[in-house]
Amino acid sequence: MTARRRLLLVAQGAAVGLVVLLFALLLWKLVDDAGGGLAKAAARGERPSAPAFTLERLDDAGELSLASLRGKVVVLNFWASWCIPCKEEAPYLEQVWRENRDRGLVVVGLDAKDFRRDARSFVRRFDLTFPVVYDGPGKTLTGYGVTGFPETFVIDREGRVVEAFVGAVNSDDDRARLRAAIETALQS
Amino acid sequence: MNGRLASALVVFVGLLVAVPAARAADPPNAADLEAELVCPVCETTLDQSNAPVAVRMKAFIRERIAAGDSERDIKDALVAEFGAGVLATPGKSGFGLLAWVIPLAALAVSAVALALLIRGWSGRREPPPPAEPAVEPELEHRLDEELARFDA
């Protein structure tokens, strides 16, 4: 076999390999795309692990990691200052936090795709006293399958998602479901 | 003639340097920036989006232009809030550099592959004609005798 022929074969092999690699990436993206997977799993009665994060705090100095809250029930609320339903929901989450913080529950606000300055104004405007973390690029959204704001996840003491709410927890039904999920998580 | 050519070259190079420098000194244009930045929610450029966060970002750009910030300052501030994904064109360092290097590398590899292919095609010549069969010694001897007789 001549050197030229060998070179041609190597080039052909590399081209085929590249096509296979791109196809595998496409398949991986299709299969791996969470797209509300956590919410669906929680709705089926499963308790999927809540994806870990460590993010800058907006209400205080330093960072807050989800792992540091292990042993507590976490109500994780994804929001943004420009989101209108978030404005209706925020006072209710503050009420839930105040009523349950002595029972081992913590509400965590996760502000994403937003300006820090606007998020801080939102916190002041609604007098929010629970911890608020900031994820401007929205890197945590994919892991949780968040596609819009607000979304809320109730996470038990072992870091597993008990219940998920896509959209604001503003109706009486949703609020009753949130309280039931909190009780389930607190008792487990 | 050479003097004129040299002068023209100096003027041309001077313009090449001066025009971008003059543009850099101008205040940034909001419409240009909106075409170069991406709305983090809808993933289109800001000038194509009316999403609430895009409207807020457009207001931020105008605030910063009024405050005297440069184009670089404004982009850096938005990247600090929303990450590098807010830039419509990838950065020229780190991972973003790949977006610039890969097409150029692909072009170079394609050029080399094409050159090899063309060389391969031009190297294919007509096969050489088959060598004439050797004449048997006895026949050659007889032929020499015949020719000698003919010459005589």
Side-chain angles (χ1 to χ4, degrees), chain A:
Chain A
M1 188 184 284
T2 64
R4 193 162 55 233
R5 176 89 183 130
R6 269 201 301 274
L7 190 65
L8 201 62
L9 275 176
V10 168
Q12 284 173 341
V16 170
L18 190 64
V19 170
V20 169
L21 182 70
L22 289 174
F23 189 68
L25 277 174
L26 176 68
L27 273 180
W28 175 70
K29 170 70 182 158
L30 288 175
V31 171
D32 189 61
D33 196 359
L38 276 185
K40 285 176 189 163
R44 287 195 298 268
E46 296 169 20
R47 289 196 177 187
S49 290
F53 62 77
T54 300
L55 293 167
E56 165 192 342
R57 286 184 77 147
L58 283 182
D59 60 311
D60 205 345
E63 295 181 327
L64 178 73
S65 71
L66 183 63
S68 71
L69 301 173
R70 191 60 63 90
K72 291 187 175 185
V73 169
V74 178
V75 174
L76 178 63
N77 175 242
F78 288 83
W79 62 277
S81 66
W82 43 262
C83 150
I84 291 168
C86 301
K87 294 172 185 165
E88 297 169 35
E89 187 188 49
Y92 180 69
L93 293 173
E94 176 65 20
Q95 184 189 333
V96 168
W97 154 245
R98 290 186 186 197
E99 287 174 4
N100 294 283
R101 61 182 164 188
D102 295 333
R103 301 173 65 205
L105 177 136
V106 59
V107 174
V108 175
L110 196 158
D111 174 66
K113 306 209 171 196
D114 204 357
F115 284 95
R116 288 177 180 85
R117 191 176 66 181
D118 295 352
R120 287 196 177 102
S121 296
F122 185 100
V123 167
R124 279 195 300 275
R125 179 181 166 190
F126 292 102
D127 194 21
L128 304 181
T129 58
F130 53 77
V132 176
V133 291
Y134 178 71
D135 178 16
K139 288 179 181 169
T140 48
L141 304 185
T142 309
Y144 282 85
V146 172
T147 53
F149 300 120
E151 289 199 20
T152 303
F153 297 82
V154 178
I155 300 166
D156 69 13
R157 297 178 196 274
E158 281 77 46
R160 299 171 304 178
V161 176
V162 174
E163 187 76 272
F165 297 83
V166 177
V169 185
N170 285 337
S171 70
D172 289 344
D173 284 351
D174 281 344
R175 290 181 176 185
R177 196 157 64 90
L178 176 65
R179 288 194 179 269
I182 288 171
E183 291 307 321
T184 303
L186 282 169
Q187 285 159 21
S188 62

Side-chain angles (χ1 to χ4, degrees), chain B residues 123-148:
Chain B
R124 284 182 197 157
R125 306 246 186 272
E126 287 294 314
E132 288 180 17
V135 182
E136 288 175 19
E138 190 187 339
L139 189 64
E140 194 175 3
H141 181 69
R142 276 179 58 194
L143 191 63
D144 286 345
E145 279 181 355
E146 289 292 332
L147 286 172

